[in-house]
């Protein structure tokens, strides 16, 4: 992750670099009953995915820059979609890059 903006992916974890400052790690873990997924920032829960109809996330308490919140939302959404739909790593990477570019955050797209 070079430059002033980017994303670093490492397994299930990722970091967002904005204006040369790195935020993270962001991660997820399955709930104890394996019926949902908890979203984490620095090990602290900020959201939960229970189903397509039940999702909650709130990064406001962390006072992150809005660009970091938006990019994190895109990345986490792509990660969860990829995991829940059995996408291969290359497919998840393509999905993430495409969505970041479609939404105007191409400067954050990971290197190919």
């Amino acid at each position: 992750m070079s430059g002033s903006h980017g994303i670093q992916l490492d397994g299930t974890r990722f970091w967002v670099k904005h204006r040369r400052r790195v935020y993270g790690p962001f991660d997820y873990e399955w709930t104890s009953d394996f019926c949902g997924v908890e979203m984490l920032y620095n090990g602290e829960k900020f959201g939960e995915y229970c189903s397509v109809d039940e999702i909650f996330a709130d990064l406001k308490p962390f006072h992150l820059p809005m660009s970091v919140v938006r990019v994190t939302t895109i990345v986490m959404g792509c990660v969860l979609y990829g995991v829940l739909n059995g996408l291969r790593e290359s497919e998840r990477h393509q999905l993430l890059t495409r969505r970041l570019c479609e939404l105007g955050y191409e400067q954050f797209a990971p290197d190919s």
Side-chain angles (χ1 to χ4, degrees):
M1 183 170 41
S2 61
S4 61
H5 294 82
I7 296 170
Q8 180 181 344
L9 304 165
D10 180 21
T12 63
R13 299 180 307 166
F14 66 92
W15 292 259
V16 177
K17 186 176 187 181
H18 175 63
R19 296 184 176 174
R20 294 190 170 83
R21 183 166 177 200
V22 178
Y23 299 87
F26 296 92
D27 203 353
Y28 74 89
E29 61 184 34
W30 292 96
T31 57
S32 58
D33 61 4
F34 293 103
C35 291
V37 177
E38 292 183 345
M39 295 173 266
L40 309 170
Y41 173 63
N42 259 347
E44 195 171 326
K45 181 178 173 180
F46 73 86
E48 188 169 354
Y49 172 92
C50 298
S51 71
V52 173
D53 298 319
E54 273 187 274
I55 188 167
F56 169 80
D58 183 9
L59 287 165
K60 191 173 184 173
F62 302 104
H63 306 286
L64 301 171
M66 192 49 100
S67 289
V68 173
V69 171
R70 290 178 181 140
V71 169
T72 298
T73 302
I74 295 165
V75 176
M76 188 61 76
C78 289
V79 166
L80 292 177
Y81 179 86
V83 168
L84 297 171
N85 289 283
L87 299 182
R88 294 186 311 252
E89 184 176 350
S90 62
E91 294 171 317
R92 291 192 309 260
H93 189 272
Q94 290 172 356
L95 173 66
L96 173 58
T97 300
R98 186 173 64 247
R99 294 301 293 154
L100 286 167
C101 292
E102 287 171 355
L103 296 167
Y105 293 97
E106 54 278 337
Q107 72 268 32
F108 290 93
D111 297 330
S112 299

